[in-house]
Amino acid sequence: MSDSPTNTLNTWVEVPKNSDFTIYNLPFGVFQNKRLSPRIGVAIGDKIVDLSVLDQEGFFSDMFLPEGVFLNESLNELIGLGKVITRKIRERVQDLLLEDNEKLRDHSARGKVMVNRKEATMLLPVKIGDYTDFYSSLEHAANVGKMFRDPENALLPNWKHLPVGYHGRASSIIASGTPIIRPKGQMKNPESNTLVFGPSKKLDFELELAFITGKSTKLGDSVSTADAEDYIFGFVLFNDWSARDIQAWEYVPLGPFLGKNFASSISPWVVTLEALEQFRETGPPQEPEVMSYLKCDKPHSFDIQLEAYIQPEEEKSSKVCSSNFKDMYWNVAQQLAHHTVNGCNINVGDMMASGTISGKERDSFGSMLELSWNGSEVVKLESGTERKFIEDGDTVLMRGFAEKNGVRVGFGELKTKVLPAK
Ligand code: MN
């Protein structure tokens, strides 16, 4: 791969410096505002391109799209049309936004097509059928193993042979901006070692990315690692909220349940696989050798920088960790191949999260569980405020972006405030 940009693209849209939404990105999302009913748009700079208006004005007439496909409240019908179509739509939008292209720039409907992002409310981008959470960061799995089980045998024997995962709950996946309520449940009181019921005292975030499937399989069929990316439409930031005290008490023998299923938050703009192409990387070496259905003949990792911030009420936000998606031991093609190797079918709009993305260094740990080492140490914020876990009134923010040779492709912001238990 060459290190210099192949071609520089310029747009007539004003894109602020360091914007995640450049002409190279063009993520898809669902928005509405005071005037407009829910519809599908593409983000660029501080604007949203209203695809439904572009469609009405005939800009996609050669593609014979289903009527009203951009007036849906989710991306499911659109991404279900397949990658050949969605890629064409994205390329058409990119072409229309190029500096020298006058077709939209000088069109009388331009004002109607370009909507201010600030005035828009972003909705959940997909109707999520099923949600799976993997556990694909070696560093995260090892850290949790050390704390919850045995420091000598932090990784269980299966971990390097298959991408461990569990089936989560789709109903409680919420869009950025929606607050969550502190969960209640059963947990052990660490001092008295007695069983208590009440609000979780160890509410935590998990810094993750999730991919959204755009193609279904039949029950009984499997997806190979070579074909896996045909099934992946794009990615969002994913905060897999976790109550560590509830989780620690309940998770043996069947794994996460109420400690995880009360909420997960996602960023509203779906960054396509096409936009991430130039950030493709080879993942870490896998030793021992994986079984043949998990072998890959091309790289499936992506160099995406990820950050988590805590913002206590009345305070500025403070960065608590930065890690990178490319360090994940298991990649997305292996996750999908493993998920379907037994014949489990997938549908358009399924969400598969990576698992907490932790790096090797202390400041790259993607959860408070790891950053505070299960509450045994404090995490100091810039203001001097201290945290071990997330408190009521705190807002957790996540950001993610890829940047190379002056090209930036990012996810925008994922923001969730924590409200007291009911
Ligand atoms: Mn998780």
Side-chain angles (χ1 to χ4, degrees):
M1 243 179 272
S2 136
D3 253 17
S4 57
T6 41
N7 56 338
T8 307
L9 304 178
N10 291 308
T11 170
W12 49 261
V13 183
E14 199 187 313
V15 178
K17 206 173 171 277
N18 284 327
S19 174
D20 281 347
F21 305 132
T22 61
I23 183 79
Y24 302 96
N25 189 353
L26 306 178
F28 289 80
V30 180
F31 73 98
Q32 63 180 25
N33 66 19
K34 282 193 189 119
R35 288 177 301 113
L36 305 172
S37 59
R39 60 199 52 216
I40 294 172
V42 159
I44 179 153
D46 295 333
K47 298 282 182 184
I48 299 171
V49 183
D50 184 335
L51 297 185
S52 73
V53 179
L54 271 190
D55 193 26
Q56 283 153 20
E57 296 295 332
F59 284 100
F60 301 118
S61 57
D62 57 321
M63 296 183 195
F64 306 101
L65 302 174
E67 206 177 318
V69 70
F70 298 116
L71 287 170
N72 282 317
E73 291 188 17
S74 78
L75 297 175
N76 294 49
E77 186 190 6
L78 175 68
I79 64 182
L81 297 176
K83 259 183 192 282
V84 173
I85 305 283
T86 53
R87 199 179 286 147
K88 261 195 199 161
I89 292 169
R90 186 172 162 274
E91 282 167 5
R92 175 67 47 85
V93 173
Q94 190 171 53
D95 188 53
L96 287 170
L97 297 174
L98 290 179
E99 201 165 38
D100 299 332
N101 189 335
E102 78 287 354
K103 283 184 198 145
L104 177 61
R105 189 192 66 197
D106 301 342
H107 196 283
S108 58
R110 170 176 157 175
K112 226 176 127 193
V113 172
M114 307 300 287
V115 177
N116 287 330
R117 207 149 55 74
K118 261 196 191 128
E119 288 155 24
T121 304
M122 297 307 298
L123 308 180
L124 208 56
V126 277
K127 191 172 185 311
I128 302 156
D130 282 298
Y131 151 51
T132 301
D133 194 25
F134 286 95
Y135 194 52
S136 290
S137 156
L138 188 145
E139 289 77 14
H140 173 69
N143 284 340
V144 175
K146 282 177 205 166
M147 276 181 272
F148 278 21
R149 283 193 325 271
D150 175 8
E152 299 306 307
N153 297 291
L155 288 184
L156 285 169
N158 60 5
W159 200 90
K160 285 189 169 181
H161 294 279
L162 53 88
V164 169
Y166 70 94
H167 287 116
R169 182 84 193 161
S171 67
S172 54
I173 299 180
I174 51 174
S176 177
T178 309
I180 65 158
I181 293 155
R182 180 175 297 273
K184 291 186 293 196
Q186 292 189 21
M187 62 204 104
K188 280 256 181 85
N189 179 331
E191 279 98 57
S192 56
N193 207 29
T194 52
L195 192 58
V196 294
F197 177 87
S200 167
K201 292 187 170 71
K202 290 187 173 179
L203 182 61
D204 199 359
F205 62 81
E206 290 192 333
L207 178 58
E208 306 191 17
L209 274 179
F211 68 80
I212 293 164
T213 53
K215 191 174 171 181
S216 60
T217 60
K218 281 208 221 57
L219 188 65
D221 284 354
S222 304
V223 178
S224 68
T225 57
D227 292 341
E229 287 191 7
D230 292 344
Y231 291 80
I232 299 175
F233 174 70
F235 290 86
V236 290
L237 297 171
F238 194 96
N239 182 350
D240 184 25
W241 288 97
S242 302
R244 300 304 181 189
D245 35 14
I246 298 172
Q247 183 187 354
W249 168 236
E250 76 177 357
Y251 86 106
V252 179
L254 273 184
F257 190 31
L258 305 193
K260 294 275 190 178
N261 70 1
F262 58 94
S264 303
S265 325
I266 63 170
S267 56
W269 291 105
V270 185
V271 175
T272 62
L273 206 48
E274 287 77 23
L276 293 168
E277 189 53 52
Q278 56 183 314
F279 307 101
R280 192 180 284 278
E281 292 250 350
T282 307
Q286 295 182 319
E287 177 60 42
E289 199 179 347
V290 297
M291 282 193 185
S292 61
Y293 78 93
L294 291 168
K295 284 187 180 145
C296 301
D297 48 19
K298 74 169 200 178
H300 295 285
S301 296
F302 298 90
D303 182 359
I304 301 169
Q305 192 64 39
L306 296 154
E307 300 171 338
Y309 300 76
I310 296 175
Q311 180 174 19
E313 226 152 17
E314 318 289 336
E315 279 186 30
K316 282 198 326 203
S317 66
S318 189
K319 196 198 288 186
V320 290
C321 95
S322 18
S323 64
N324 197 301
F325 189 52
K326 71 176 183 210
D327 299 328
M328 298 298 272
Y329 191 86
W330 295 104
N331 66 49
V332 291
Q334 292 175 318
Q335 289 169 342
L336 199 51
H338 184 66
H339 203 307
T340 57
V341 75
N342 65 346
C344 170
N345 54 330
I346 56 164
N347 289 305
V348 173
D350 284 354
M351 181 153 287
M352 310 221 178
S354 58
T356 307
I357 303 166
S358 294
K360 289 188 176 65
E361 309 306 324
R362 193 58 184 252
D363 61 0
S364 67
F365 293 170
S367 65
M368 292 303 279
L369 174 71
E370 295 161 271
L371 290 165
S372 75
W373 211 254
N374 201 12
S376 63
E377 290 166 39
V378 294
V379 176
K380 258 210 157 75
L381 307 184
E382 277 164 41
S383 58
T385 302
E386 294 178 347
R387 285 287 180 273
K388 289 179 172 175
F389 289 95
I390 303 303
E391 309 267 324
D392 290 346
D394 286 356
T395 297
V396 172
L397 298 106
M398 291 180 178
R399 301 186 150 276
F401 58 91
E403 202 160 23
K404 194 177 173 187
N405 303 318
V407 172
R408 183 174 167 113
V409 169
F411 290 80
E413 194 176 66
L414 166 56
K415 193 175 180 174
T416 316
K417 187 173 180 172
V418 174
L419 303 180
K422 271 189 186 169

